[in-house]
Amino acid sequence: MHIPDNYLSPSTCATFGAVMLPVWRRASIKVKAEITRQKMPILGVAAAFSFLIMMFNIPLPGGTTGHAIGAALIAILLGPYCAVFAVSIALGIQALFFGDGGILAIGVNCFNMAFIMPFTAYYIFKLIKTIIPNKKGEYLGTFLGGYISVNIAALFAGIELGIQPLLFKDSLGLPLYSPYGLSISIPAMTIPHLLVVGVLEGIITLGAYSYIKKASPEIIYEGSVNKIKPLYIIIGILVLATPLGLLANGTAWGEWGTEEIKNFIGFIPKGMEDGFKFTSLIPGYNFANLKEYLGYIISALVGVIIILVIFKVLSRINLKKKTKGE
């Protein structure tokens, strides 16, 4: 679901970036007001979890791949605005350092995965807990929050890709950007998510929520960080296990390179061929001189360290502002 650069027109990217600006601002205000310096590590771990879980690709029908996102879990545990903040940072790190998702498309990807998904999951969870006010309702809401929210995000991604050939064509009538219309992009995005990815997201959300409720219930009920150690252990296990994401062959639908596009449709759309180019520091989570699985582990570790450092710095900035009464 990480839309690369040049699949969407610059105007589409700018529009979604503009939509996200007030969302990011509101999320920033909420985090500053509600997350203390002591609680900030939880948010850092949440962002690291989202970053890592997106590295675990799984095979999907049609020879493509997909992955869970973790946004639903963060929204249910910490609230939707915290999820906006955490997942946006994870997506930004992926794009800037590893080339996973476009730089111009950050606003679009954040709209789908860090805005639509967390808010959908949070309110589904709340609704089902209200309708079924017991443990069964809590766990059902957790699963359905993950399942439905990732499918809604996939639907939005399918629409965003599918409207491109309708709106942007060259003088010959050929698509400038993503070449697949709504009749292809929507089923291609939604069917694998309905059948596989949604179930995976729901299971991960429910499993992680159940684990945290048992190992560190204070995080759910009080926002306490006294027992955050089990969460760091989970992050460490995920870092070491990331090479499992390499077992899935193929590329996620709508994330192909230009040569793959040419093989599929016989030409490269002009907007993709002449569009924005950005080379990340560690493209594809690979180090040229290392075996692929080692590169994946090191990339995961680097990403987690960057994220935790960012939240450490943010916690100090937030503390200083509160100390000064700003």
Side-chain angles (χ1 to χ4, degrees), residues 101-113:
I103 299 298
L104 296 182
I106 283 179
V108 185
N109 288 325
C110 286
F111 179 85
N112 298 334
M113 292 183 273

Side-chain angles (χ1 to χ4, degrees), residues 188-225:
M189 288 299 298
T190 56
I191 291 174
H193 283 78
L194 285 167
L195 296 178
V196 181
V197 180
V199 176
L200 176 66
E201 188 79 45
I203 291 172
I204 288 174
T205 305
L206 176 58
Y209 182 86
S210 302
Y211 170 80
I212 292 170
K213 188 172 182 179
K214 182 178 290 186
S216 304
E218 298 89 348
I219 291 174
I220 297 175
Y221 299 115
E222 303 168 16
S224 171
V225 295

Side-chain angles (χ1 to χ4, degrees), residues 37 69 71 90 101 104 110 112 121 129 136 175 190 213 243 283 308 320:
R37 183 192 181 196
I69 296 166
L104 296 182
C110 286
N112 298 334
K129 272 191 68 178
K136 288 183 179 179
T190 56
K213 188 172 182 179
L308 295 181
K320 288 179 182 178

